[in-house]
Amino acid sequence: MILCRAIAVFFIAMSISIAGPSLGLGIDFVENRYSPGDFPLVHEGQAAPLIFDAADYAGVLLAGKDLQGDIERVTGKKPEISKTLGSNSKSVIIAGTLGKSAAIDALVKAGKINVSPIVGKWESFLITVVRNPALGVDLALVIVGSDKRGTIFGLYEMSEQIGVSPWYWWADVAVPHQDEICIRSGEYLQGPPGVKYRGIFLNDEAPALSGWAKEKFGGFNKEFYKKVFELILRLRGNYLWPAMWGNAFNEDDPANPQLADEYGIVMGTSHHEPMLRAQAEWKKHGVGPWNYATNQAVLKRFWEAGIERNRKFESIVTIGMRGDGDEPMVNGGDMSANSQLLERIIRDQRGILSRHVNPDPTKVPQLWALYKEVLEYYNHGLRVPDDVTLLWCDDNWGNIRRLPTAEERKRSGGAGVYYHFDYVGGPRNYKWINTNPLPKVWEQMNLAHQYGANRIWIVNVGDLKPMEVPMEFFLRMAWNPGALSKDDVSKYTQRWAAREFGRQRAVEIAEVVATYAKYNGWRKPELLSPETFSLIHYREAELVSKSWNDLLAKAESIDRDLPEVQKASFYQLVLHPVRASATVADLYIALGRNKLYASQGRASANVEAARVRELFERDKEITDHYNRKISGGKWNHLMDQTHIGYTGWQQPAVNILPEVTENQLSENSSYGVTVEGSVDMWPGCNPDPSLPRFDSLGRQRSYVEVCALGTGPVDFKFHASHPWIKILPDVEKHQDQRLWVDIDWGTAPIGESEGYVSIEGGAGTVKVHLTALRATADQEREAKGCFGGLSGPIAIAAKDAVKSVAVGQVHWDLIPDYGRAKAGVSVFPVTAASILPPAAAPYLEYPVYLAKAGNVDVDAIIGSTLDFVPGRGLRLAVSIDDAPPEVVDAFPGKESESRWGNAVKDNIRILRLSHVIDRPGRHVLRIAMVDPGVVLQKLIIHQEPLPPSYFGPPEVGLNVASR
């Protein structure tokens, strides 16, 4: 059995090759053509029977029936289920739990299988092929679990391996037909999981999930939860906080808790619902105020009833207390008084547990959620017994607020994380669609893993759909956090796409899924406004719209080529989120244009007004198609969430058509001229318009737009003052006529030159001035291999450092596809100690060319990560040339609500340092590590204030050659 041990060590890691269908075990052991030595699961029209012991756990038998159904889904052949080995078949599947299956225990006793790698382990399983397992049986496929869920996970691993997606029901993923299924001979082992409890929280579930569940099942009853429990287990989860907006899991259907226990789902209640009682139960049964200081006896009886009711079921008990309705606890706002009261509450709650569950409360799994102000109580010294799991929380926007210190990692109860993919609260709700890029999720949960918060991972998934992709990623990562590296996230997504839609288009589909989440991560749709993306600087809004529409065109192209059987799932998982998100982004950009163009008097303001109305109607159609058309209306109501027309943090009652402006147009052919970087319109403004500066190192181009102000056709001529000024009409269709202006640097004079572009016609003449800076030969030589030019800011992608220096094992490395960038750059290992100047620290270098001496600002654009280590900031050290490094901290003091709000809305933070350089020319910018956890995305070096925009100036590359 040496081979078994070797395989056990090797295959515990999750492979991310795109080779096969499973995202669970990590090696694909299923073949669709029989070879000698294989186990014939379905061969020559016969399905091997399934053998289960009637004494095994109910959840194992339920999962066994699912495997039976899955084999039939794939092959059309339904295997027999038997309780004994007395089958006529020469090949059988024997599945069961150690100590609960006579057949499995007999194989162990006979030395036919070696279960030592899983004995006593949490949720572990072994899948192996055994020859001559019993008299009259030639071959057995054995699936054995260390415990109830170990066996269940082994059975669902088989289902996934043969081609049944965990989302076959929840996203209508088609099951590819196979005539034969064979299992390669070998021993396949997995477990124990890296995170003990891995779960989801169904929350903020009205109007979408609640409306759907009521129509589909009659409410949040056992028929609804059967589907939820099965999905969680297929995804390797084991834990649930149930729907709680006016819902009570234990009372909505009294069969719910028993069913959860049978399936093997560990139940809990949310961070503000202590002692296994839903808030809705207090609304129904509570007498008096939700205040332990004034209503202790009533609350104790209420909690005791909940614990007594659920004492026989596997649960994690939430302890502590918040105010009614997830509000801060009310006691005059006195931190000391509230802390003392919480200490008493927790002491009394543990007394209830000792009386009703176990005389030793340390044997009862418990958590204390350090959510919002509760973390402040902890920071001021409030403590709970060591056996209680500290559930650290994010800021509701995917940034973990705190992680355990080295001392806290010694606690027997360990630590966990409560994370969010959905939220109701400030700055605004985000409930409608998936806005959670996987690289960001990986980065934050890797911090949790590395800092020892591995007892519980639970994520708020809102309505469950449409959070399919991040939800599965979260649970898969929780199963084995160390097996999924930052470099493997894209491969994981490709493997997911191959499982759902086949290998042929998997890379393309994965790219679409990753990209739409990235774009939504730029700015969540609920936070969009007409002003979000600049309409006048850097073509920002235009490029955002183009990005979305290029992505939509790609998704629609893939959809056209897919077989009909895959279209429903592709719509739910890929096409809908792209189409819906692109529509809302375009709506707000069109609204911004309408407002700008109306203020300028453009006729095209009216076109944009019509575009806003059209897009609003398109959004309705997209929603209706999801709700009523796909899968025969199976998902009706799941897209009922409003998302257009926010004016504050709370959602509007209905989507609101934004107010637009239409200009009253005269029947004439008048026109105006506007230029990139300005909101003014000429003629009529002073001084004359000027384009942003051109320089031969930056190689910019810019545009002039000639805009109709009336209903008649516009007729004009244009010419340049000098032959080195090039004017090219835009080949793309625009409502107004755009002229691109560029410089022929081969003929432009060296040094600074002035010129203009003249627009002439019946509406008058407008001269658009420009300045061209052509570098000298010396400037070209000095700037070669540098970032930057002769004018304007210098924007550099952090990943483009020309030099990266490590200190020992501590180094900067890329996180692919992170944030706004193609890759973020962060320090690894993430648990490295802080390094302050002048000590040697890992650093990045960027050669830059600065055209003039004087004051220089350096803006470091970093991820929105919080200062998760107590007593430490989130710092970088920045220097230019040989100057001493200056330290800048993202958290120089107590953070204001508005500063935090801006960080989560923009999903970045900006660190700024000012420097003085004594000469123009070549310089070296160095970014040195101080604290791990900083994810650097972009650097902007500027000597003038930056014009307002969302992304800032676009990144430039190195000057690679003399010009």
Side-chain angles (χ1 to χ4, degrees), residues 36-51:
D38 288 350
F39 177 84
L41 189 67
V42 176
H43 179 54
E44 296 181 343
Q46 297 296 314
L50 295 159
I51 310 298

Side-chain angles (χ1 to χ4, degrees), residues 163 165 168 171-176 499-500 565-566 569:
S165 167
Y168 79 96
D172 303 308
V173 176
V175 177
R499 186 192 69 191
E500 309 303 60
V565 71
Q566 293 183 337
S569 58

Side-chain angles (χ1 to χ4, degrees), residues 331-460:
N331 192 25
D334 186 320
M335 177 71 70
S336 176
N338 280 338
S339 294
Q340 291 176 20
L341 180 59
L342 264 175
E343 284 182 349
R344 179 155 58 95
I345 290 169
I346 291 168
R347 185 171 59 248
D348 291 349
Q349 288 171 339
R350 285 170 66 84
I352 292 170
L353 296 177
S354 67
R355 290 192 298 276
H356 293 273
V357 183
N358 193 313
D360 181 359
T362 67
K363 305 298 184 184
V364 181
Q366 300 155 65
L367 68 82
W368 183 36
L370 299 169
Y371 185 77
K372 290 191 174 181
E373 83 288 342
V374 181
L375 178 59
E376 298 304 312
Y377 302 144
Y378 185 88
N379 290 339
H380 281 78
L382 177 60
R383 294 294 182 268
V384 294
D386 269 11
D387 62 277
V388 176
T389 301
L390 298 179
L391 192 68
W392 305 104
C393 304
D394 68 355
D395 60 355
N396 305 304
W397 289 74
N399 306 293
I400 296 174
R401 298 173 75 194
R402 173 80 147 72
L403 287 171
T405 63
E407 190 62 30
E408 289 163 344
R409 289 195 284 274
K410 298 175 184 177
R411 299 177 68 260
S412 60
V417 171
Y418 168 36
Y419 202 71
H420 283 77
F421 292 154
D422 162 288
Y423 180 58
V424 170
R428 279 187 185 168
N429 299 351
Y430 63 98
K431 299 171 57 180
W432 171 51
I433 212 159
N434 174 30
T435 60
N436 305 282
L438 299 188
K440 166 73 178 286
V441 177
W442 179 88
E443 183 263 337
Q444 286 291 293
M445 298 315 298
N446 180 61
L447 290 177
H449 167 57
Q450 298 294 341
Y451 279 80
N454 286 333
R455 183 63 58 90
I456 300 169
W457 284 10
I458 188 160
V459 60
N460 186 332

Side-chain angles (χ1 to χ4, degrees), residues 669-674 704-708 712-719 727-730 735-740 757-766 768:
S669 298
S670 61
Y671 64 79
V673 175
T674 189
V704 175
E705 280 186 343
V706 182
C707 314
V714 170
D715 185 28
F716 67 94
K717 297 180 180 179
F718 57 85
H719 74 272
I727 307 173
L728 297 171
D730 199 336
Q735 294 153 15
D736 300 309
Q737 298 183 57
R738 178 174 292 181
L739 303 174
W740 285 107
V757 172
S758 179
I759 310 296
E760 300 167 358
T765 298
V766 176
V768 179

